[in-house]
Amino acid sequence: MKYVVLLKQVYDTETKITLDANGTISNSGITLIMNPYDEYAVEEALRLKEKGEGEVTVVSAGGQQVQDALRQALAMGADKAVLVDSEGADLDEYATAIILAKAIENIGFDVILGGFRAIDDGSAQVAGRVAEILKVPVVNVITKLEVEGSQATATREIEGGSEVVEVSLPAVFTAQKGLNEPRYPSMKGIMKAKKKPMDKKTLADLGLDNDQIAARVKPISFSLPEARKAGRVIPGEPGQAAAELAKLLREEAKVI
Amino acid sequence: MAKGIWVFAEQREGQIKKVTYELLSEGRQMADQLGEELCAVLVGKDVAEMAGSLGEYGADKVLVVENEALENYTTDGYTNAIAELIRQNEPSAFLLGCTVTGRDLAAQLAQRLETGLMTDCTGMEIADGQLVFTRPIYAGKATVRAACPEARPVMATIRPNTFVAVANAKTAEVVKAAVDPGNIRQVIKDIVRQISERPELTEADIVISGGRGIKSPENFKVLEELADVLGGAVGASRAAVDAGWISHSYQVGQTGKTVSPVLYIACGISGAIQHLAGMSSAKCIVAINKDEEANIFNVADYGIVGDIFDIVPVLTEELKKITA
Ligand SMILES: Cc1cc2nc3c(=O)[nH]c(=O)nc-3n(C[C@H](O)[C@H](O)[C@H](O)COP(=O)(O)OP(=O)(O)OC[C@H]3O[C@@H](n4cnc5c(N)ncnc54)[C@H](O)[C@@H]3O)c2cc1C
Ligand SMILES: Nc1ncnc2c1ncn2[C@@H]1O[C@H](COP(=O)(O)O)[C@@H](O)[C@H]1O
């Protein structure tokens, strides 16, 4: 079985966001982490592989610094990594998906896993788009996955509940929290990871030219919203304060 | 020439989702400014009778696709049917609510049509004759305005509660469309619904959330009682979810749900940046926390420093009187 995991490196959630001189998001002084939802995807691929046999490849499109996140996945137990260097290209989700799909075609695949959403500027669409390009079915926001031969059964979150969906492989699945508890890389894992293959590819290596990955969506302007201001603390005994709050919500804020 | 603004009329079990009406109301204004038609797309099995309300909220036309195979939402079934409809009619824009279904469908459809998609938007405007969308990024720490200048239709999913639904008692022309749901590769084996009288968290006008300060699963009852008096939904911080007091589907924040209610009451929640990411677009925020230094007070419109269990029950009683 060939397991492929789509892995995005994202800004750490604590990162302070600033704009640079061009008015775009500045990337100075930021810490980068593996997208938390992709950690679930890596873990799931490893568990599936450990039940039988196969190979787990992690794939990313991004700059050279993405190697850190890929190494982390290798240290967790993935077998090899593919990094498509897209540094400097203006990619939207359409373009990113085309690049990833091309890379995956070269690797071969039975099960493709990704996060359901990237927590930075993510939009919950890259993995679904990859499925569409590769002409395989997708099951999004899954919290459980079972693979039997060439059939997979996934439980996915829907509003107000869940549903159980069956698909034939190959297929794409996107991970939601609850799918598993990702392991931490062991010391041994980290040592081993250094020797595992990190295949670096350029867009040209994949046979992609600029026309093929022309972004559909174009940003116009970025801004930093004004922080919310602290309001009013209502003084008094608990009962008094609660009564006052009820009144203010009705008469001043007019929200009830 | 692409023409028409389309809105996905999301329905579940015979109920149109509120976000659909919000999109139609705002879409109406955009359509008028652009001189285009506003059209709702209603898909399912035996759904035609729901078409009436879509006109009331502004649709000129309702395209109804009815098919046995479309009774339950599947990525393939809906994508196949709507993609065909879009190819036949070439609308200039297609808007969906940013719900589990809207998100799933939008991504698939956008790639099928090789077009651009902006997700979880909190604003829509017309600039230089084209639709421009605003979306929060980096957990709401920045916003981007973006457009899809060439490919059509331009697609966007809009966060529920972004626009106000306004009824204007119009009637829409209802047109039945026969399109093929094609080969559906996702086979639904089972659907499990949590029975709840409360509104869906992401769509609720009022959300009452509990954090680590709630201390036990049973104590969520205190918040549920308040939620029920206000017709609101219950949410939680990750600390409460990780402690196993409530299921992850209630988590609000960067790795949970994004909510945009009129009123958000945070009880025993410290206000970590990842939690704020999921609720800072609420119109009015109330914080109840015994630590006056808690960060949540820096974003709250109203705060009470004190114990949840002293304050919330009284608040519930007071609100019961007021709203009676
Ligand atoms: C990658 C990542 C993603 C994350 N995603 C999310 C997310 O989606 N959502 C989320 O919420 N968090 C998320 N977190 C976790 C976040 O950083 C905080 O740890 C979490 O929000 C804390 O929850 P809390 O406020 O309930 O708990 P605490 O921070 O422990 O705060 C509890 C508060 O309750 C108050 N309190 C205690 N008892 C009482 C009482 N009896 N009456 C009144 N007040 C009381 C205390 O004063 C305190 O302020 C994420 C973290 C990371 C690293
Ligand atoms: N540049 C990328 N490289 C690899 N995988 C990605 C990339 N962008 C997105 N993905 C995958 O697609 C998922 C959803 O991302 P997004 O659509 O950006 O929210 C992520 O969790 C990843 O699994």
Side-chain angles (χ1 to χ4, degrees):
Chain A
M1 284 285 239
K2 286 199 155 191
Y3 302 97
V4 176
V5 181
L6 302 172
L7 191 160
K8 188 182 184 194
Q9 191 182 42
V10 297
Y11 286 20
D12 180 22
T13 55
E14 303 283 349
T15 296
K16 189 168 160 32
I17 301 292
T18 54
L19 299 183
D20 61 20
N22 303 324
T24 55
I25 306 288
S26 164
N27 56 11
S28 72
I30 48 146
T31 356
L32 296 163
I33 57 168
M34 188 194 302
N35 181 35
Y37 292 106
D38 300 356
E39 286 188 39
Y40 302 124
V42 172
E43 177 65 35
E44 197 63 18
L46 294 176
R47 289 187 189 192
L48 287 171
K49 176 193 145 178
E50 283 158 7
K51 274 186 206 156
E53 55 178 340
E55 188 178 55
V56 176
T57 308
V58 285
V59 185
S60 191
Q64 290 301 319
Q65 70 282 359
V66 176
Q67 286 180 67
D68 295 343
L70 291 170
R71 286 269 177 236
Q72 185 188 336
L74 294 176
M76 286 169 77
D79 299 295
K80 54 181 202 182
V82 176
L83 171 59
V84 185
D85 190 346
S86 58
E87 189 89 71
D90 271 328
L91 304 179
D92 67 348
E93 292 81 0
Y94 167 81
T96 304
I98 290 179
I99 295 169
L100 292 171
K102 249 298 186 302
I104 294 169
E105 268 175 359
N106 291 344
I107 300 163
F109 55 93
D110 297 298
V111 174
I112 300 172
L113 283 148
F116 99 82
R117 181 164 65 101
I119 62 164
D120 55 353
D121 60 347
S123 51
Q125 47 170 311
V126 169
R129 283 180 180 267
V130 166
E132 178 66 29
I133 299 168
L134 295 173
K135 298 191 164 54
V136 299
V138 63
V139 186
N140 280 311
V141 284
I142 65 163
T143 53
K144 193 173 172 201
L145 180 61
E146 270 161 22
V147 173
E148 269 298 320
S150 65
Q151 283 294 108
T153 309
T155 304
R156 68 184 286 263
E157 188 181 276
I158 55 173
E159 260 141 36
S162 60
E163 70 187 12
V164 180
V165 181
E166 208 175 81
V167 285
S168 298
L169 300 180
V172 174
F173 304 90
T174 65
Q176 166 67 305
K177 183 175 173 179
L179 181 60
N180 53 46
E181 269 309 319
R183 68 194 68 185
Y184 289 103
S186 64
M187 211 48 205
K188 209 169 121 203
I190 294 169
M191 298 311 291
K192 268 192 178 163
K194 293 188 176 141
K195 296 192 202 80
K196 288 181 179 172
M198 170 83 63
D199 186 6
K200 290 182 214 159
K201 290 215 156 32
T202 63
L203 295 173
D205 290 339
L206 294 178
L208 290 168
D209 61 40
N210 288 339
D211 279 354
Q212 285 166 285
I213 53 162
R216 298 306 198 230
V217 170
K218 304 258 158 70
I220 297 170
S221 62
F222 293 89
S223 58
L224 305 181
E226 265 190 51
R228 278 185 94 104
K229 290 196 187 63
R232 167 142 56 107
V233 168
I234 302 162
E237 288 305 299
Q240 237 180 323
E244 178 65 14
L245 173 61
K247 201 167 135 225
L248 287 169
L249 291 177
R250 180 76 163 200
E251 289 166 13
E252 191 180 87
K254 299 191 166 65
V255 290
I256 46 172
Chain B
M1 222 343 233
K3 263 300 181 232
I5 295 178
W6 283 19
V7 169
F8 175 56
E10 185 174 345
Q11 58 86 20
R12 192 175 86 190
E13 295 177 337
Q15 288 276 315
I16 303 274
K17 292 218 146 216
K18 195 179 80 180
V19 66
T20 304
Y21 300 133
E22 295 165 9
L23 295 186
L24 285 171
S25 300
E26 192 71 10
R28 179 70 263 160
Q29 298 183 26
M30 300 292 136
D32 287 343
Q33 282 182 54
L34 292 169
E36 298 201 16
E37 183 182 64
L38 184 70
C39 173
V41 179
L42 181 59
V43 178
K45 180 192 163 213
D46 304 330
V47 289
E49 60 197 43
M50 284 183 262
S53 69
L54 301 168
E56 274 171 44
Y57 285 89
D60 296 309
K61 188 157 103 187
V62 183
L63 282 174
V64 180
V65 177
E66 289 188 311
N67 195 300
E68 199 80 37
L70 297 170
E71 177 171 14
N72 289 314
Y73 173 79
T74 54
T75 313
D76 281 352
Y78 271 52
T79 303
N80 294 341
I82 297 176
E84 192 178 328
L85 212 55
I86 287 178
R87 286 195 178 120
Q88 286 170 7
N89 296 275
E90 302 187 348
S92 58
F94 189 44
L95 311 175
L96 306 90
C98 192
T99 59
V100 176
T101 298
R103 239 188 345 235
D104 189 281
L105 172 61
Q108 211 64 24
L109 204 49
Q111 191 58 40
R112 178 82 50 95
L113 302 166
E114 301 192 0
T115 191
L117 165 64
M118 288 151 277
T119 60
D120 201 17
C121 299
T122 55
M124 171 166 73
E125 69 194 285
I126 295 168
D128 298 331
Q130 68 173 340
L131 285 174
V132 172
F133 295 88
T134 304
R135 45 184 307 256
I137 50 174
Y138 301 98
K141 285 183 270 189
T143 46
V144 57
R145 285 172 65 244
C148 175
E150 278 154 30
R152 288 291 171 269
V154 44
M155 288 182 59
T157 65
I158 314 274
R159 187 179 290 183
N161 286 347
T162 294
F163 304 128
V164 182
V166 215
N168 67 1
K170 260 183 54 168
T171 36
E173 177 196 358
V174 178
V175 180
K176 289 212 183 186
V179 282
D180 186 3
N183 175 27
I184 300 175
R185 295 165 294 179
Q186 295 90 356
V187 181
I188 301 193
K189 288 286 167 183
D190 193 16
I191 298 182
V192 184
R193 296 209 190 277
Q194 292 157 358
I195 317 270
S196 173
E197 297 289 300
R198 297 192 190 94
E200 171 64 34
L201 180 57
T202 52
E203 291 203 335
D205 283 329
I206 295 179
V207 174
I208 321 290
S209 282
R212 201 191 307 274
I214 289 292
K215 293 196 178 65
S216 79
E218 298 77 40
N219 287 341
F220 265 97
K221 252 214 178 63
V222 177
L223 304 189
E224 286 166 9
E225 280 163 15
L226 176 54
D228 291 341
V229 167
L230 297 173
V234 171
S237 74
R238 174 158 144 189
V241 170
D242 286 353
W245 303 337
I246 191 164
S247 108
H248 173 252
S249 58
Y250 292 91
Q251 183 176 317
V252 172
Q254 192 166 20
T255 47
K257 301 258 152 67
T258 305
V259 300
S260 207
V262 176
L263 173 62
Y264 188 86
I265 306 184
C267 305
I269 291 178
S270 61
I273 184 80
Q274 297 91 351
H275 187 78
L276 301 186
M279 45 65 84
S280 56
S281 60
K283 285 173 196 76
C284 177
I285 297 174
V286 171
I288 299 170
N289 194 304
K290 63 182 183 189
D291 174 12
E292 61 178 338
E293 301 285 313
N295 188 49
I296 191 78
F297 288 117
N298 294 325
V299 300
D301 300 285
Y302 301 104
I304 299 182
V305 179
D307 195 297
I308 305 163
F309 305 103
D310 294 335
I311 294 159
V312 176
V314 184
L315 182 62
T316 305
E317 283 313 308
E318 290 295 326
L319 289 170
K320 210 182 268 172
K321 280 187 237 160
I322 290 184
T323 55

